[in-house]
Amino acid sequence: MPCKHTLGLLLLWAEGNVPTTVRPERAASWLAARASADVVEAAPDGPSRPAQDRPPTSVEAGAPPDRGKAKRADERAARVRAGLDELDRWLADRVRRGLAAPDSTSRAAWEGAASRLVDAQAGALANRVRRAAELLDAGPSGLGAVLGELSTLHTLAVAGRRPAALDPDLAMSVRTAVGWTVAREEVLAGTPVTDHWHVVARSDTEEHRITVRRTWLLGRRTGRWGLLLDFAAFGQTLSAEPAVGTVLHADLHHFPGRVPMRALVGVEHEPAQDDAEGPSPSTVAGTLADAGWAIAREPWLERWPGVVRATPTPRSGGRGWALADSTGALPLVVDRAIATLLAVSAGRPVVVAGEHRATGFAPLAVRAHDRTAALR
């Protein structure tokens, strides 16, 4: 029977707490001689093979796997699954009682659900619950949008508990929407997309005392999108680089997912320069088709970029503004950016970059006379 000291060492090793040490000189020289020798052994079920092609033995394998890290990952996965179970029960309760019920419109109830998701380490879903609660401020007219958000949350709660039933790209997209993160080193180790990237637009939003900056890039050759995310605590300054209206020749590494969008900048082959040509715009019908394709693949997408050449026109019945061309009309999100857009357009077609959202197309930048002007 092993002594208590041996058992203690085994427990430490199982938890990954035994540090890797330098091999004794005798063992190191023996391994080196064994690796350099052209020894051939007979495989049990087939032809002979070189010794270096064999699976490593326990001595050759080196340090044991970090069992502590694996255990922590399993524990987090269990917490997330429990949080998703509770979220789904809470959603069913909201629907059963009705969205007009006092406890369904109580901000405290929604904040409680979001806090429990934070405790379950599903922070992205917690932020989504808070944004859905803000839709209650619209009163009865906004209940349809709230119900739509509850449906999306239910979809993610179900999918997040069954990742093995999804294809790998979709499972990764679900994990990201729930709140799992991918290490920066892992993303940068992937195959990059090299192109001249038009920096077409930027938006800043406040999410639970955190400023989130989204910078949209469009590849000149590939036509692919890239989203650079930057975060700062409230009141802190965010980087303005790369600037809107420039073009960046660089490698872009996309995060894995069903609709690869978020990315990191890798090697920059040239500094950012003024964008004399500008991005190639789409039609209204074309940009709507692109947004529809993305949302069909990831129904929980809250925004999708677009660059369209069209004319700002009033909507019928005085119900706001739209971008119109020969292929259709695209309703605009009406805010302070509209005044600048109308002034630059002066009733003529212009190239507008922005985001497709549930409430319409939010204009973020306009290009006229070979210059790009940010609208926010």
Side-chain angles (χ1 to χ4, degrees), residues 163-245:
L166 310 175
D167 67 66
D169 286 342
L170 182 57
M172 182 59 70
S173 295
V174 171
R175 286 168 60 90
T176 301
V178 168
W180 292 84
T181 57
V182 181
R184 178 184 180 88
E185 294 75 16
E186 184 178 341
V187 176
L188 291 175
T191 303
V193 180
T194 305
D195 206 339
H196 288 81
W197 299 94
H198 300 280
V199 186
V200 298
R202 172 174 291 144
S203 68
D204 292 347
T205 56
E206 300 295 331
E207 298 182 7
H208 198 56
R209 299 187 296 275
I210 297 293
T211 302
V212 181
R213 169 162 289 179
R214 295 174 176 86
T215 302
W216 295 103
L217 311 180
L218 178 60
R220 176 187 297 169
R221 175 181 56 84
T222 61
R224 291 189 60 175
W225 285 102
L227 169 62
L228 306 182
L229 283 183
D230 199 6
F231 305 90
F234 183 75
Q236 292 184 346
T237 303
L238 286 164
S239 173
E241 299 297 332
V244 174

Side-chain angles (χ1 to χ4, degrees), residues 302-337:
E302 296 182 271
R303 59 192 76 211
W304 179 257
V307 178
V308 58
R309 178 178 174 82
T311 305
T313 59
R315 297 180 65 186
S316 61
R319 296 179 293 119
W321 295 83
L323 289 173
D325 65 6
S326 60
T327 67
L330 182 61
L332 289 172
V333 175
V334 178
D335 55 18
R336 60 186 178 86

Side-chain angles (χ1 to χ4, degrees), residues 3-360:
C3 69
K4 62 181 181 180
H5 301 292
T6 304
L7 290 174
L9 287 172
L10 286 172
L11 288 173
L12 287 173
W13 177 80
E15 293 293 333
N17 293 321
V18 177
T20 303
T21 59
V22 179
R23 290 192 181 102
E25 181 178 355
R26 181 178 178 183
S29 59
W30 179 81
L31 287 173
R34 190 170 183 267
S36 60
D38 187 16
V39 180
V40 176
E41 71 164 7
D45 302 317
S48 60
R49 54 181 175 173
Q52 60 265 31
D53 291 344
R54 293 174 299 167
T57 65
S58 58
V59 175
E60 293 171 275
D66 189 345
R67 298 179 185 273
K69 182 178 180 181
K71 181 180 178 181
R72 290 191 296 271
D74 290 341
E75 290 174 348
R76 182 187 177 183
R79 283 196 298 272
V80 171
R81 284 194 298 270
L84 295 179
D85 283 335
E86 185 173 0
L87 171 64
D88 222 14
R89 289 192 295 271
W90 184 83
L91 292 171
D93 192 49
R94 300 279 77 74
V95 174
R96 183 174 59 254
R97 294 174 181 237
L99 295 181
D103 57 343
S104 293
T105 57
S106 167
R107 283 300 186 95
W110 290 77
E111 183 57 36
S115 297
R116 290 190 292 274
L117 286 169
V118 172
D119 293 339
Q121 295 187 290
L125 280 186
N127 291 335
R128 189 153 198 145
V129 168
R130 292 188 175 106
R131 290 194 293 271
E134 294 174 358
L135 298 173
L136 295 170
D137 294 339
S141 62
L143 293 182
V146 175
L147 183 61
E149 282 299 311
L150 295 186
S151 302
T152 301
L153 287 167
H154 169 68
T155 299
L156 290 170
V158 172
R161 301 199 300 270
R162 302 178 57 194
L166 310 175
D167 67 66
D169 286 342
L170 182 57
M172 182 59 70
S173 295
V174 171
R175 286 168 60 90
T176 301
V178 168
W180 292 84
T181 57
V182 181
R184 178 184 180 88
E185 294 75 16
E186 184 178 341
V187 176
L188 291 175
T191 303
V193 180
T194 305
D195 206 339
H196 288 81
W197 299 94
H198 300 280
V199 186
V200 298
R202 172 174 291 144
S203 68
D204 292 347
T205 56
E206 300 295 331
E207 298 182 7
H208 198 56
R209 299 187 296 275
I210 297 293
T211 302
V212 181
R213 169 162 289 179
R214 295 174 176 86
T215 302
W216 295 103
L217 311 180
L218 178 60
R220 176 187 297 169
R221 175 181 56 84
T222 61
R224 291 189 60 175
W225 285 102
L227 169 62
L228 306 182
L229 283 183
D230 199 6
F231 305 90
F234 183 75
Q236 292 184 346
T237 303
L238 286 164
S239 173
E241 299 297 332
V244 174
T246 61
V247 62
L248 180 66
H249 185 202
D251 295 343
L252 219 60
H253 298 258
H254 287 81
F255 283 68
R258 193 78 175 276
V259 182
M261 184 168 55
R262 186 184 174 188
L264 297 175
V265 176
V267 177
E268 296 186 25
H269 302 285
E270 296 177 15
Q273 302 175 359
D274 287 340
D275 194 353
E277 299 179 14
S280 178
S282 179
T283 62
V284 167
T287 192
L288 285 172
D290 290 342
W293 169 86
I295 294 172
R297 294 175 67 82
E298 287 191 16
W300 46 86
L301 280 179
E302 296 182 271
R303 59 192 76 211
W304 179 257
V307 178
V308 58
R309 178 178 174 82
T311 305
T313 59
R315 297 180 65 186
S316 61
R319 296 179 293 119
W321 295 83
L323 289 173
D325 65 6
S326 60
T327 67
L330 182 61
L332 289 172
V333 175
V334 178
D335 55 18
R336 60 186 178 86
I338 291 295
T340 305
L341 175 60
L342 295 176
V344 173
S345 169
R348 298 186 301 270
V350 288
V351 176
V352 183
E355 296 173 345
H356 292 274
R357 302 176 185 174
T359 53

